[in-house]
Amino acid sequence: MGWYDALEAGELVSAPSEYESKRFGVSVDRVSVSASAGTPLPEVLAAVGKSTADVVVLRYPAREVTWFAALASGSRTALLADSLVYWSLPVGKGRRPAPLAGFNAGLESAIDDDLVDDLVGDIFGDYGNHYCADPLFDRVRALAGYQEWARRSIASEGAVVLRGPDRRVLALATVDQQRSWTEIELAGVVPAEQGRGRYGHLLAAVEDASTSKRLVISTQGHNTGVQRAWARYGFEPVHTLLTVHLVTPGLLPDERFQGGR
């Protein structure tokens, strides 16, 4: 969920998710409540109630701590699917690492699709995204969705790439450049180079490539390792969303088994 929908939309947004429905073979609606919306719980429940999708992926501000009980008491099965934590940094304020001799980093307008798939597969293959909470969402297909997302983003805006002395790609970041912010969408270091300080160099290259005055980024709440890296670089946390999957009764494997007893 992007920065605008999470913090600045100012309203509840509900829409079918064509990409997810096609990929997973179940109909999916997305309902999101931004930090600035001030949406009351009855309006959220009404939006969920109107949906005829198999799964409603609902995201709402974590400050609304009373909402989950009401969601879990409804007609749909409620699955808590972690949280999203949003961080922000004024461009030019990052704590940049010393340059690496022989390494090169910058915005590249085109990257081969097969290379993108390999990089995203290596970097995010074990990432515990919100789909993992729901048996209806296959993990392999979820990763394929991240690969497709990366290809679309790169085709539109390129990607920031860190290359070693042999020109191999060591780290990759896809970005969404807006007037008021630059959002880092997918960013990571290939497993063989992790733990060697490469991530800070990738962030510095994103900062250099930014066309706005603010960098923003988000991740699942359990992903504390990367959040420590953001804190070291100078990012600060600004918002947390909860993710809940609301599933039509009888679709989950345990419910189907019980129904056949």
Side-chain angles (χ1 to χ4, degrees):
M1 185 169 165
W3 178 270
Y4 176 79
D5 288 335
L7 284 98
E8 301 190 15
E11 60 184 354
L12 180 148
V13 177
S14 178
S17 177
E18 295 181 6
Y19 282 115
E20 289 169 317
S21 298
K22 181 179 179 180
R23 181 166 302 283
F24 295 109
V26 293
S27 56
V28 179
D29 281 352
R30 289 268 188 156
V31 178
S32 59
V33 181
S34 76
S36 56
T39 305
L41 175 60
E43 187 174 336
V44 176
L45 296 176
V48 172
K50 290 178 182 177
S51 174
T52 59
D54 295 325
V55 181
V56 175
V57 176
L58 169 65
R59 281 176 165 155
Y60 61 90
R63 65 174 180 259
E64 305 293 355
V65 294
T66 63
W67 284 13
F68 185 77
L71 293 165
S73 300
S75 61
R76 291 174 174 266
T77 302
L79 303 177
L80 185 60
D82 203 357
S83 59
L84 278 176
V85 184
Y86 291 78
W87 294 63
S88 177
L89 170 77
V91 170
K93 300 297 184 180
R95 293 191 279 268
R96 307 168 66 92
L100 288 170
F103 289 73
N104 180 267
L107 183 66
E108 298 187 11
S109 60
I111 304 173
D112 180 77
D113 283 349
D114 289 340
L115 176 58
V116 172
D117 284 351
D118 288 344
L119 290 169
V120 173
D122 287 345
I123 295 170
F124 293 98
D126 294 326
Y127 178 52
N129 54 63
H130 69 99
Y131 298 114
C132 298
D134 193 331
L136 297 179
F137 295 134
D138 178 77
R139 189 163 189 150
V140 173
R141 293 183 181 182
L143 177 59
Y146 276 73
Q147 291 167 322
E148 181 183 354
W149 179 25
R151 293 195 302 270
R152 291 200 313 266
S153 179
I154 292 170
S156 174
E157 301 205 41
V160 175
V161 174
L162 172 67
R163 293 183 181 270
D166 60 0
R167 299 297 297 160
R168 286 186 304 112
V169 177
L170 307 181
L172 172 80
T174 62
V175 295
D176 177 23
Q177 301 267 23
Q178 299 292 330
R179 184 176 66 177
S180 299
W181 66 82
T182 296
E183 183 161 9
I184 304 172
E185 296 178 325
L186 289 172
V189 178
V190 298
E193 294 291 327
Q194 292 175 7
R196 305 178 67 181
R198 309 302 191 215
Y199 194 77
H201 294 277
L202 180 67
L203 292 176
V206 174
E207 198 173 5
D208 289 340
S210 174
T211 59
S212 66
K213 295 183 179 180
R214 181 168 50 158
L215 286 182
V216 298
I217 194 168
S218 63
T219 191
Q220 300 292 320
H222 72 267
N223 193 6
T224 54
V226 77
Q227 292 179 72
R228 287 196 297 269
W230 297 346
R232 288 193 298 269
Y233 194 82
F235 283 84
E236 294 185 351
V238 294
H239 186 54
T240 301
L241 287 175
L242 291 181
T243 303
V244 177
H245 290 192
L246 299 162
V247 185
T248 297
L251 289 184
L252 294 174
D254 287 349
E255 294 174 337
R256 291 199 298 267
F257 175 76
Q258 291 171 4
R261 293 180 64 182

